Amino acid sequence: MADHDSAPEKHEKSGESLMEKVTEKLHGSDSSSDSDDDKEIKSAAYSMKAKIYRLFGREKPVHKVLGGGKPADVFLWRDKKVSAGLLGVATTIWVLFELADYHLLTLVCHALIVALVIIFLLSYASNFVNKARPKVPKVVIPEDIVLSLASAVTIELNGALAILRDIALERDIRKFIAVIAGLWFISIIGSCFNFLTLCYICIVLLHTLPLFYEKYEDQVDAFAEKAEAELKKQYAIFDAKFLSKIPKGPLKDKKHL
């Protein structure tokens, strides 16, 4: 009886010692340990980390999810000057075209007029002060950047069209309804804002939401886990009441001659 009673106590002590080792390892303890203990601690720490819910099943840091490199640094405000500059330019464009009711063609023409007047005055004034003409750099749009941008946009559009085609041909009623609801929601948002305002909102969200999520990811993931559980519960009720009662015809392969 004594042996049977001591078995749970030994199991509890071993579990407590393992948790203590994991805690010491995570807090940077200086105590030495054997290679077997290190493997045990790493496996336990990995299993504990794997149990943590992450939004959209994320396994990488936010910086890696955003693609890493310069774009991720801009969205996460690692380079504050560039991030503030891009957001400031986007805000200026939105204010000019939306609040000041400016037009793109008018803005381009006015900018060219100002540039030509400044260059002409500098060149004309150089004749009176006996100085060489001012060196004006040539403005050339790089062809490689334009072609790569057009290629990237084309690839993304073709991929999106292929996905929509596959969804329409799969005859999966659940996925079909989800896509229709998503497109309907986007159409409602598009009817509330014009294209420029919608683009500006997307830029502002890209400069704020990733930074906010990286700072409060634990709290956001905990809330998202509860929300996802509730959505699954409501979807199960909707499936039981409506989707499961939709008759499904037999799928027959048709041979096209």
Side-chain angles (χ1 to χ4, degrees):
M1 291 296 291
D3 295 336
H4 291 289
D5 294 336
S6 60
E9 295 178 357
K10 290 181 180 179
H11 181 69
E12 293 177 359
K13 290 180 180 179
S14 62
E16 292 177 357
S17 62
L18 178 59
M19 291 302 297
E20 289 176 358
K21 290 179 181 179
V22 172
T23 306
E24 291 177 358
K25 192 72 176 179
L26 293 176
H27 287 81
S29 177
D30 296 333
S31 61
S32 59
S33 58
D34 299 333
S35 59
D36 295 336
D37 293 338
D38 289 338
K39 292 180 180 179
E40 188 178 4
I41 291 170
K42 289 180 181 179
S43 61
Y46 179 79
S47 61
M48 290 173 62
K49 186 178 180 180
K51 294 179 180 178
I52 299 176
Y53 175 85
R54 292 301 180 190
L55 191 62
F56 304 119
R58 177 177 62 86
E59 297 179 355
K60 300 178 181 179
V62 181
H63 190 271
K64 294 293 184 181
V65 173
L66 294 175
K70 195 67 176 180
D73 292 339
V74 172
F75 293 143
L76 295 175
W77 290 78
R78 304 285 174 84
D79 193 345
K80 294 183 179 180
K81 293 182 179 180
V82 177
S83 301
L86 289 176
L87 190 59
V89 170
T91 303
T92 303
I93 293 174
W94 181 76
V95 169
L96 286 175
F97 291 127
E98 291 299 320
L99 299 184
D101 201 15
Y102 226 52
H103 299 283
L104 179 60
L105 185 60
T106 305
L107 178 63
V108 172
C109 292
H110 287 177
L112 291 175
I113 289 172
V114 172
L116 289 174
V117 169
I118 292 175
I119 294 172
F120 178 81
L121 291 177
L122 290 176
S123 177
Y124 193 77
S126 64
N127 295 327
F128 295 96
V129 295
N130 296 324
K131 290 184 178 181
R133 291 184 179 182
K135 294 181 179 180
V136 180
K138 293 183 179 180
V139 179
V140 178
I141 299 176
E143 184 178 357
D144 296 338
I145 296 178
V146 176
L147 292 177
S148 61
L149 180 61
S151 177
V153 173
T154 304
I155 292 173
E156 294 297 331
L157 289 177
N158 289 334
L161 292 176
I163 292 173
L164 293 177
R165 177 181 177 276
D166 293 339
I167 291 174
L169 295 176
E170 282 180 359
R171 300 182 184 180
D172 190 345
I173 189 65
R174 298 176 182 178
K175 189 182 293 185
F176 178 76
I177 291 177
V179 172
I180 294 297
L183 293 175
W184 182 262
F185 179 73
I186 294 174
S187 67
I188 293 175
I189 295 177
S191 63
C192 298
F193 307 99
N194 57 31
F195 183 72
L196 181 62
T197 302
L198 192 60
C199 290
Y200 178 67
I201 291 174
C202 292
I203 292 174
V204 173
L205 292 178
L206 285 173
H207 280 79
T208 53
L209 289 182
L211 180 65
F212 175 81
Y213 177 68
E214 187 183 39
K215 189 175 182 180
Y216 302 102
E217 60 178 343
D218 293 334
Q219 294 85 342
V220 174
D221 288 339
F223 177 79
E225 185 178 10
K226 296 179 181 178
E228 184 180 358
E230 184 64 25
L231 287 175
K232 288 182 179 179
K233 180 181 177 181
Q234 297 299 327
Y235 179 79
I237 296 174
F238 180 75
D239 186 18
K241 290 183 178 180
F242 301 102
L243 296 182
S244 61
K245 297 180 181 180
I246 298 177
K248 298 181 181 179
L251 299 177
K252 296 182 179 179
D253 296 332
K254 297 181 179 180
K255 295 183 179 180
H256 300 279
L257 298 177

